[in-house]
Amino acid sequence: MGHRAGCDLRQEILHRAAAFPRFMLNVVQVLAFLSVIGVPVALAVERLIKRETVLVVDAVGAATVAYLAAFSVNVITSHFQDSAVAQAIGGATPMQVQLAVGVAVVTVLGFSRSQYRTLFLTTAALGGLAVVLLGQDSVTGVLLSALLGQIVATAWISLRGVLDTRPGIARILAELDHDGFRAHPGSVRVLEPGTDGARRFRVAVTANSHDNAASNPRHPKQTLDLSVLDQSQRAAYLASRLWQWIRLRGPVRRRSFFSLRRTVESEVLMAMSVEAVGIRTPRLRSARQIDQDTALLAYDHLDAPRLADLPDRAWTPTLHHSVWALWQHLRSRQLAHRELTTDHLRLDPAGHLWLTDVGYGEITAEDMLCRLDGAELLVSIALRVGPGRATEEAVDALGPATVASLLPLMQPILFSEDTTKALRRHRAAGDREDVVGAIRDRIVALHPEADVQPVSLERVRPRTLLSVVGGAIAFYLLATQLTGFQVPKLNTWQAWGWVVGAAVASALTYVAAAFNLLGCVKERVPVGRTITAQVAAAFAGLVAPAAVGGLAVNTRFLQRAGIPVARAVTAVGVSQVIGFACYVVLLLLFSAFAGSRQKESGGLSAITPSATVTGVVIALAVIGLLIAAIPRLRAFVISRAKPLVTDIGPEFLQVARSPRKLAQAFGGAVGLPLAASFCLWASVNAVSGNDVNLAAMGVAYLVAKAVGSLVPTPGGIGGVEAVLTAGLTTAGVPSAVAATSVIVFRLLTWWLPVIPGWFAFTALQRRGAL
């Protein structure tokens, strides 16, 4: 009876394992369907917010025609499903109706943001792939569905045309004339749009109002810069603004982006406030509402170069002092510019500084916003003159304490989009340094008492969302595998002995990790507290990808133990380098001995050492040849390896001088994967009751660990389970036993240690050790 129950259990597990890929394809198909329909709906809602109802009507019309066309093709092919034409294009129902409708709608509406385009194309491709793999359609049918939607939309646009309902330049100039400024014919010049999508123009005008005529009867000619705020264009930035509003918290969040009237009122008030406190800024000449969705703001044109465009010789200490004096003036009056960079500061021929583009500023601003302006200004100047000089000039002008107060806000996520893009371009332009990091190091060197802890203003991180998704997938995998999960042979002392041995081996991994870290630190650090920190890292790994949480915990732990930040980072880096070297050696050794007992002992291993070792050697040789042959790749590797040699190399030599430290570092690095491999080996033995090859389990674990470090989910969830199961199956372990063994192993090494990890984490925090 027990044997029959065991067979039924194995059949159930095999059935679920076979059904899982098809289930995942169905999930992908459903998600793709929701996205292919959801993105057009979102675009339509966005157009309705812009009050572009005509365009939405056109999209609905094109969608209706596309639906009827795709449905008609499916009806016709269903009656002639045996014909060669029907079979060639996908069988009875070749047209994916939702895909044709979605393509038609987005073609008419257009993508207001590149993110929408990426999401739509990606999900459409994944949905089409899922349909093909499920056998519901052919590649030809999917491509023809998308082509049908495109053809229908293009035909509709050709027949109906595309309307731009925004007020034109003639209407804008007419409104400007109501405020007494008559535009000169042919003087309108179109400028680059603003960061908020505002249309910008430059126009020569003559003041023709009665007041101006009385004060100056000659009606002087002047130049105005026009900023036209369109609610329709602003809605295109709605998604990014919402994401920023959700992601950040506190005063750093931008003000409400939904009300056009509130935006205009705030900009007018900020322009008047800046001028009132004596800061030179282009005067606001006109603020008018053109229609319900459009507003006009007109400023005096300032013919002066931006600081970002000045030559190097113009960046004198006097100019630096003037820039920081302007920032101090703004801060003393509680005015925050919110985009204070060298692009928004100008120098006139008389040597006076001017502040421009104050539209997104805030009055009565909190001091945090004013300091954020200073941090962004310092980064902007550093991009122009270098981090070292920019920081030293700021310290000369402000003093070390004031500059140190900017350090907690030195976070690119808090800067404006233009500054963030400038930082990315700087990093991408060759072997350039990290500007923000260089500024932070320079400030700490000039003011060692500075608070280096960043202000926590980020509410939701992309990694957190990814972790939630990965956790949901992992929960599904765990719940699916635990459904009906039983281990009949755990009712024997032998099986429980293997489980206890696996648990002890799992605990030893934390001891080994602690000794590996202690061996890389010259200072004396308590052993017990270091082991506790490794257990705490198990909890930290719950909210970070594999190894990332452990690195952060170890670095913070060493810093709290009295080791300087730079040396703590270097020590953790040395431990990782030693661990990687031992990892490669163990992988080769395990691979070499994995198949030695394949036929002698009747074990479950089927991994052949020759193929594994040969493959690893060939792969390393090919990688080495590619690096040596391609100059760019060679330069890239050298640039990445140079810090390891210059920073980690001397620290490693210090470790090598002490035999005790060397034994601790390498002993821990070797003991950790050995203990984890033994844990996996014991888990398989507990479930199967057979003696499996330990070396084969070592190969499976080491490969799974490598894959898990690449999977951007907590603890490598999903990737580790899949690779471990595949590795055990390759080693000859039956699939049912492999799935159950992986569950036992992951429970002992990942899920259960999270509970003591939380207690260890909180205990270390209470003691000030973390």
Side-chain angles (χ1 to χ4, degrees), residues 50-220:
K50 300 175 184 178
R51 300 181 183 274
E52 298 178 0
T53 55
V54 176
L55 198 59
V56 175
V57 170
D58 286 339
V60 172
T64 303
V65 176
Y67 176 85
L68 293 176
F71 182 79
S72 300
V73 173
N74 286 341
V75 170
I76 295 172
T77 53
S78 64
H79 286 81
F80 302 96
Q81 55 183 334
D82 295 330
S83 65
V85 176
Q87 292 297 322
I89 64 176
T93 57
M95 292 293 108
Q96 300 298 312
V97 178
Q98 75 278 2
L99 180 60
V101 171
V103 170
V105 173
V106 299
T107 302
V108 175
L109 296 179
F111 294 99
S112 56
R113 300 287 289 177
S114 60
Q115 290 85 348
Y116 285 147
R117 179 184 292 104
T118 302
L119 176 61
F120 182 85
L121 295 179
T122 302
T123 53
L126 290 177
L129 180 62
V131 168
V132 173
L133 293 178
L134 288 171
Q136 298 176 0
D137 204 344
S138 66
V139 176
T140 305
V142 173
L143 295 178
L144 287 177
S145 301
L147 181 61
L148 178 62
Q150 183 77 27
I151 292 173
V152 170
T154 304
W156 185 279
I157 293 174
S158 300
L159 294 175
R160 288 277 299 159
V162 179
L163 300 178
D164 186 359
T165 59
R166 298 181 301 175
I169 187 63
R171 175 79 180 278
I172 295 170
L173 296 180
E175 291 294 331
L176 193 62
D177 187 57
H178 291 320
D179 266 351
F181 296 100
R182 183 179 297 279
H184 287 251
S187 65
V188 178
R189 178 184 173 188
V190 181
L191 306 178
E192 290 291 330
T195 56
D196 56 349
R199 290 182 289 166
R200 294 191 175 187
F201 305 93
R202 182 170 299 158
V203 57
V205 299
T206 299
N208 58 0
S209 65
H210 295 292
D211 294 338
N212 289 331
S215 61
N216 192 345
R218 294 185 179 181
H219 304 296

Side-chain angles (χ1 to χ4, degrees), residues 10 487-490 492 494-496 498-499 602-604 681-692 733-734 737 740-741:
R10 294 182 180 182
V487 185
K489 293 187 179 181
L490 284 185
T492 65
Q494 182 183 5
W496 279 110
W498 283 116
V499 173
L604 300 177
W681 178 57
S683 300
V684 177
N685 286 332
V687 175
S688 66
N690 296 317
D691 184 16
V692 296
V733 179
V737 175
T740 307
S741 302

Side-chain angles (χ1 to χ4, degrees), residues 307 310-326 328 347 351 353 381 385 388-398:
L307 295 191
L310 293 179
D312 294 340
R313 63 178 182 275
W315 283 92
T316 62
T318 302
L319 178 60
H320 282 273
H321 276 260
S322 300
V323 170
W324 289 114
L326 185 146
Q328 281 187 309
L347 187 67
L353 277 179
I381 296 175
V385 303
R389 183 185 176 191
T391 307
E392 292 173 359
E393 294 284 1
V395 170
D396 290 341
L398 305 173

Side-chain angles (χ1 to χ4, degrees), residues 179-255:
D179 266 351
F181 296 100
R182 183 179 297 279
H184 287 251
S187 65
V188 178
R189 178 184 173 188
V190 181
L191 306 178
E192 290 291 330
T195 56
D196 56 349
R199 290 182 289 166
R200 294 191 175 187
F201 305 93
R202 182 170 299 158
V203 57
V205 299
T206 299
N208 58 0
S209 65
H210 295 292
D211 294 338
N212 289 331
S215 61
N216 192 345
R218 294 185 179 181
H219 304 296
K221 181 180 178 181
Q222 60 188 109
T223 304
L224 298 180
D225 289 333
L226 311 182
S227 179
V228 182
L229 305 179
D230 298 297
Q231 187 71 11
S232 59
Q233 190 64 29
R234 286 159 47 83
Y237 294 82
L238 181 61
S240 60
R241 295 294 184 183
L242 279 176
W243 170 240
Q244 185 187 56
W245 189 84
I246 294 172
R247 187 176 182 182
L248 300 178
R249 60 184 175 88
V252 297
R253 292 190 301 180
R254 301 281 179 170
R255 64 171 183 264

Side-chain angles (χ1 to χ4, degrees), residues 64 137 268 277 329 383 431 435 539 589 615 662 707:
T64 303
D137 204 344
V268 171
V277 300
H329 194 178
L383 288 170
D431 301 330
V435 173
F539 170 72
L589 291 177
L662 197 63
V707 174

